[in-house]
Amino acid sequence: MTLVGRAALLLAFASALYAVGAALWSRRKGRRELLVSAERGVWAVFATTTTAVVVMWILLLSNRFDVADVAGYSNRTLGWRYKITALWGSQAGSLLLWMWFLSIAAVLVVITNRTRNRALMPVVVAVLMGIAVFFTSVLSFFTSPFETVSPVPADGRGLNPLLQNVYMESHPPLLYVGYVGLSIPFAFAIAALVTRRLDSTWITSIRRWTTLSWMFLTVGIILGSRWAYEELGWGGYWAWDPVENAALMPWLMATAFLHSVMVQERRGMLRIWNMVLVILTFTLALFGTFLTRSGILSSVHAFGESTLGPYFLALIIVVLAGSFALLISRLSLLRSENSLESYVSREAIFLYNNLLLVGLAFAVFWGTMFPVLSEAVQGQKITVGQGFFNQVAAPIGLALLFFTGVGPLIPWRKASPRELRRRFLWPLVVAVIAVIPAVYFAQDGAHWWAALAIVLAAFTVACIVGEYWRGATVRHQLGGVSWPGAVGQLFTRNRRRFGGYIVHLGVVSIIVAIACQGAFSSQGDLALRTGQTGEVAGYQFTNEGGTRTRDDHKMSVGVALGVSEGGNRFATLNPGVDVFTAQMQRSSEVAVDTSPFRDVYVVLVGLTPDGLARISVFINPMMMWIWVGGLVMVLGLIVAVWPSRRPREAAARAALGADGRVRE
Amino acid sequence: MLASAGVKSRSRFAIALTLAVGLGAWLIWTSIGGSLETYTNPSGLVKTTDATTYRLNGTVAPGSPADAAERAQTAEGLRFTVRDKDRPSVTVPVAYRGSVPDAFKDGREIVVTGHMENGVFQAERGTLITLCPSKFMEEQAAKGKTMPDGMPKEPAGT
């Protein structure tokens, strides 16, 4: 069985190598037909990688403990679902998963471009398969998921209990889909540079890929924070850990790219800048993998030091040097078609938004890499505390929030002062009204920035609602469409724009939640015997008795806590601690009572045999709106990428005066 | 991007951009100043006499209390010893209060922020971090442990 897996990976390596060669050769005169052969090579890579993944799953499910990664990350008592997810518990397995996603993405690119972009495809295939060559060679020659051990252990070590939950089942694959997806804009960018076809075609062909990858990255990051919040039991969700930063940096770059692309499509500007963003986004995605796999930085979840660091570093250097050399050689072809006419125009706002996002990514990079840099320069490893990241991210985040509101209301090219006054009147009124509750919340003045976030959020929401209002009014009055029909038309006729605004609403929700949690959360520890009551931040907690259970998998203790506020009992929380017997590993089971305005978050620290429960309580205001905001963002993205009706059909419907309701 | 700069005068755009970058650099510079902590290990700490704040990295020496999480909430706090990763003979006692990660146990690599006071590393509240390998193999192999066949003993206090 392991032989089948190894053979499949070797074949994948060979096929990828062949596809690179055939694709590049097909660019020679009279060798066109080789491209089809190269594309068959892509299918072969997909088929062989899939075989390897299936083999790995069979090994995991059939408890083949002679395989190192099965023995290391699974055991007999592990449920079948976690046996499936144990695939990406190991280093080799997670690289295999990445490679599998890459092969799927490459096949999708081949399928969707059978008749389009034929001139770009040879280079696109070569780049994607070049990345595949790297991953399959690492998987074949340096860290094989099919390594065997002897003597064969009687049982496996089991999967880290921290990873045994739904968030860890979904978070790594989602992030990987996002990372892999970002390699496709990169491949198209390189193809456009190589073939000198630098018009906007390559950008429109990958628009949906970029948006979807960005969506997966977003969901991956949010589920990761949700995991940290529910599993790690420290009451927070984000700690600027190197691994978190590794996922955030490509996300920030991709966000900048998603916005600046519109400037290129509309005005033919920022063409070099977009190339730089695509290249840096992909490099940062690789860099993220390098950070987590190299052990260069200590992290809460440094995945065990490995020897893969140098290989990834080499790949990153090759990608960076190659791409930028290519870019420089094509600079003369990337002249801007237009120039910036005013500092108050849509394109200018996009430019500010880009500078802020890239600036933040740079600051995060700087802060993350500071220990490595200081050690190289001074010989002393100096780390940067969370305070640095918060201090930099807060003002940049607020400025971004401001531009989120302002941007869509400012016309392209140049804005007339009269038009601006008309459009911003109501949002400004709303913002001024919002100052009152904001000042009330920030009584002591120390939380002025949280108050500012609330005011800016109100302003931004008003701007977005105004956009819908204006759009719908025009359609209602000029098109004679009913009100609901007019709003529906906004989504069907201009999906990207109005879907994008929904994404913005999600972002506003998340920023407000982050600001409120950061400013107004409170924490307290209690030691309660059975029947005793203690208080934290106005909430009373009563110990109503502990429980102890054990099965062949784990030992558990728990405590029932009655929670009340001002004599009104509103919840019973049951925090607990599991100790997994296979590894003698503790795992806290936090209990959370969620309401729109706050989370009551309780961790059981310990329970003595005589019934003394020690608990940690966190009151986190507005926490729910981080997750709600994430959901809203996904919704908006689905609206934005949903395929539009075919132009002909849409035109026919418009001619018939159809009602324009959303039918999908 | 500079190629797109055609607003009235190119120099004005350059000035605006320089200002923006300057402002960003200033923000990074001032923010970084207040949050720098030097990484150190027990060997590095032995020499220090001042009260500089350090991030101490090492492994938990054998003999740490099984009810570490609970002790860290008491008034006396949690006392444990951190051992140098490279020179196991060098250790530093640590006094800590606040939340203790689940992964905390003998032999686990940790990072904690604090300063030296009378030969004891006084940790700041809630700064204890465990570096959590998703892999169990090396650490178990290192201890020469075989897989437990019977049930391990219930740790005191949980």
Side-chain angles (χ1 to χ4, degrees):
Chain A
M1 212 52 188
T2 56
L3 261 181
V4 178
R6 278 176 185 272
L9 282 177
L10 272 175
L11 277 175
F13 170 66
S15 314
L17 212 54
Y18 170 76
V20 173
L24 289 180
W25 201 250
S26 76
R27 298 191 64 229
R28 291 282 182 101
K29 265 211 178 85
R31 294 281 174 193
R32 263 284 160 75
E33 74 284 354
L34 265 179
L35 176 57
V36 178
S37 174
E39 290 178 346
R40 289 201 187 109
V42 173
W43 278 98
V45 172
F46 165 68
T48 44
T49 315
T50 308
T51 311
V53 171
V54 170
V55 167
M56 197 63 212
W57 269 330
I58 293 173
L59 293 172
L60 280 164
L61 286 170
S62 55
N63 295 327
R64 284 282 300 273
F65 298 123
D66 56 328
V67 180
D69 279 353
V70 178
Y73 299 93
S74 176
N75 61 9
R76 290 182 195 284
T77 51
L78 197 67
W80 67 270
R81 263 175 56 196
Y82 292 121
K83 281 183 177 159
I84 299 272
T85 59
L87 173 68
W88 51 90
S90 68
Q91 166 172 285
S94 60
L95 293 180
L96 178 60
L97 185 73
W98 173 309
M99 178 55 217
W100 190 41
F101 287 154
L102 179 66
S103 72
I104 295 173
V107 160
L108 288 176
V109 167
V110 166
I111 293 174
T112 51
N113 289 288
R114 265 188 300 228
T115 52
R116 297 188 303 151
N117 298 322
R118 292 316 281 173
L120 293 179
M121 278 308 277
V123 187
V124 171
V125 169
V127 171
L128 289 178
M129 288 299 104
I131 304 166
V133 166
F134 173 80
F135 277 95
T136 46
S137 64
V138 165
L139 283 167
S140 293
F141 308 121
F142 301 114
T143 170
S144 174
F146 302 106
E147 212 68 63
T148 50
V149 283
S150 83
V152 178
D155 196 359
R157 312 274 175 198
L159 187 66
N160 187 335
L162 284 173
L163 305 182
Q164 294 184 27
N165 59 75
V166 66
Y167 303 114
M168 268 298 142
E169 283 178 302
S170 48
H171 151 81
L174 285 168
L175 270 187
Y176 279 10
V177 171
Y179 281 160
V180 167
L182 291 177
S183 63
I184 286 159
F186 173 74
F188 272 87
I190 295 296
L193 285 173
V194 170
T195 58
R196 297 167 198 267
R197 287 168 186 268
L198 290 161
D199 50 14
S200 289
T201 343
W202 74 272
I203 273 202
T204 39
S205 333
I206 48 119
R207 199 158 70 190
R208 198 158 283 158
W209 278 105
T210 323
T211 317
L212 278 174
S213 320
W214 188 81
M215 175 172 98
F216 281 109
L217 267 188
T218 309
V219 179
I221 292 173
I222 290 176
L223 284 180
S225 355
R226 175 90 190 177
W227 169 77
Y229 186 62
E230 291 207 345
E231 288 300 314
L232 297 183
W234 55 284
Y237 55 94
W238 189 268
W240 299 106
D241 184 83
V243 172
E244 295 164 1
N245 297 345
L248 185 67
M249 286 186 280
W251 184 87
L252 289 169
M253 282 288 177
T255 313
F257 176 66
L258 276 179
H259 289 94
S260 68
V261 145
M262 289 184 246
V263 180
Q264 178 166 352
E265 282 176 19
R266 187 72 181 241
R267 302 273 294 135
M269 293 160 60
L270 303 184
R271 296 170 69 197
I272 302 170
W273 178 246
N274 279 331
M275 283 288 173
V276 172
L277 284 183
V278 172
I279 295 167
L280 286 183
T281 305
F282 178 65
T283 317
L284 282 172
L286 289 178
F287 183 73
T289 318
F290 165 71
L291 269 191
T292 50
R293 290 299 167 198
S294 64
I296 179 172
L297 290 165
S298 30
S299 141
V300 182
H301 17 209
F303 301 85
E305 287 182 25
S306 85
T307 48
L308 283 184
Y311 300 109
F312 270 95
L313 202 57
L315 177 68
I316 289 167
I317 291 169
V318 168
V319 166
L320 263 187
S323 318
F324 277 104
L326 187 61
L327 179 60
I328 289 165
S329 73
R330 299 291 192 267
L331 273 187
S332 57
L333 297 168
L334 286 163
R335 289 256 175 274
S336 200
E337 289 160 23
N338 288 295
S339 56
L340 199 60
E341 287 172 30
S342 159
Y343 290 115
V344 188
S345 62
R346 182 78 61 84
E347 51 268 47
I349 303 287
F350 275 129
L351 188 61
Y352 307 148
N353 136 306
N354 264 247
L355 286 176
L356 287 168
L357 283 166
V358 173
L360 182 55
F362 176 74
V364 172
F365 181 85
W366 180 248
T368 310
M369 293 308 286
F370 201 82
V372 180
L373 298 174
S374 70
E375 195 171 27
V377 176
Q378 282 192 312
Q380 216 173 17
K381 208 165 160 187
I382 298 173
T383 60
V384 177
Q386 287 189 35
F388 163 73
F389 293 103
N390 289 332
Q391 267 182 47
V392 174
I396 292 183
L398 291 181
L400 280 169
L401 182 57
F402 173 70
F403 287 124
T404 306
V406 168
L409 269 63
I410 292 186
W412 292 93
R413 304 184 69 145
K414 206 167 184 167
S416 76
R418 210 174 123 248
E419 182 67 14
L420 287 183
R421 257 193 307 255
R422 202 169 62 83
R423 290 193 178 187
F424 283 106
L425 177 66
W426 283 107
L428 282 174
V429 169
V430 170
V432 168
I433 295 171
V435 166
I436 300 160
V439 166
Y440 170 76
F441 278 123
Q443 285 154 343
D444 50 359
H447 303 310
W448 61 269
W449 53 270
L452 186 60
I454 293 173
V455 172
L456 283 174
F459 170 75
T460 304
V461 170
C463 287
I464 295 172
V465 171
E467 275 292 280
Y468 281 106
W469 174 255
R470 244 191 312 285
T473 312
V474 169
R475 281 169 201 280
H476 177 66
Q477 287 172 350
L478 298 182
V481 188
S482 71
W483 278 112
V487 175
Q489 270 193 2
L490 295 181
F491 290 113
T492 47
R493 298 290 157 77
N494 206 340
R495 287 185 185 289
R496 185 163 58 149
R497 179 158 169 205
F498 287 94
Y501 291 158
I502 299 182
V503 178
H504 283 176
L505 285 176
V507 172
V508 171
S509 163
I510 291 178
I511 292 184
V512 169
I514 291 174
C516 289
Q517 201 273 343
F520 308 116
S521 60
S522 40
Q523 196 261 325
D525 297 333
L526 296 173
L528 304 171
R529 294 192 182 280
T530 311
Q532 276 183 335
T533 300
E535 187 175 303
V536 175
Y539 294 93
Q540 293 86 39
F541 299 84
T542 309
N543 180 348
E544 293 172 352
T547 53
R548 270 163 213 282
T549 54
R550 62 194 300 169
D551 56 30
D552 55 353
H553 204 46
K554 60 181 189 239
M555 305 172 284
S556 310
V557 294
V559 66
L561 289 171
V563 191
S564 47
E565 187 185 13
N568 166 37
R569 181 194 165 109
F570 62 88
T572 306
L573 291 175
N574 295 291
V577 180
D578 293 335
V579 177
F580 287 82
T581 42
Q583 310 91 9
M584 283 309 292
Q585 160 98 42
R586 259 174 75 103
S587 172
S588 295
E589 300 297 320
V590 305
V592 187
D593 180 71
T594 298
S595 84
F597 291 107
R598 49 99 198 108
D599 272 12
V600 176
Y601 179 109
V602 185
V603 189
L604 178 61
V605 173
L607 180 69
T608 57
D610 57 335
L612 176 73
R614 288 186 184 279
I615 59 168
S616 278
V617 178
F618 299 83
I619 311 294
N620 290 325
M622 307 297 259
M623 265 310 278
M624 186 177 122
W625 298 98
I626 292 186
W627 324 123
V628 171
L631 264 179
V632 172
M633 284 173 80
V634 171
L635 257 172
L637 280 161
I638 290 173
V639 169
V641 298
W642 198 271
S644 343
R645 234 181 266 120
R646 286 198 191 92
R648 209 182 335 139
E649 195 190 325
R653 286 173 65 90
L656 286 168
D659 62 10
R661 272 175 230 275
V662 193
R663 285 258 167 86
E664 279 87 352
Chain B
M1 182 187 53
L2 280 167
S4 63
V7 201
K8 285 151 206 160
S9 78
R10 207 163 264 260
S11 59
R12 214 201 283 178
F13 186 82
I15 293 170
L17 199 69
T18 317
L19 267 178
V21 171
L23 194 72
W26 176 79
L27 180 67
I28 291 180
W29 185 253
T30 52
S31 307
I32 215 161
S35 57
L36 290 182
E37 286 149 6
T38 307
Y39 233 77
T40 191
N41 50 25
S43 308
L45 267 187
V46 170
K47 288 166 261 167
T48 52
T49 45
D50 56 355
T52 322
T53 301
Y54 285 106
R55 291 192 80 182
L56 172 64
N57 171 235
T59 57
V60 179
S64 70
D67 56 347
E70 291 159 87
R71 286 191 191 214
Q73 283 210 351
T74 58
E76 309 86 72
L78 165 69
R79 288 293 194 116
F80 65 100
T81 312
V82 170
R83 194 187 233 184
D84 199 293
K85 276 193 291 181
D86 305 317
R87 294 161 60 196
S89 58
V90 187
T91 58
V92 168
V94 176
Y96 175 79
R97 297 195 64 221
S99 73
V100 177
D102 285 339
F104 183 90
K105 62 179 177 184
D106 288 0
R108 185 64 56 125
E109 188 175 347
I110 59 123
V111 176
V112 66
T113 308
H115 63 274
M116 286 304 276
E117 211 176 288
N118 305 326
V120 177
F121 190 76
Q122 295 290 341
E124 286 168 23
R125 194 183 170 85
T127 56
L128 180 62
I129 296 170
T130 47
L131 305 187
C132 171
S134 64
K135 216 169 187 178
F136 296 108
M137 298 174 84
E138 300 94 330
E139 83 186 76
Q140 303 236 352
K143 277 190 259 169
K145 240 166 105 175
T146 49
M147 288 307 290
D149 289 314
M151 291 287 287
K153 281 209 298 201
E154 192 167 349
T158 45

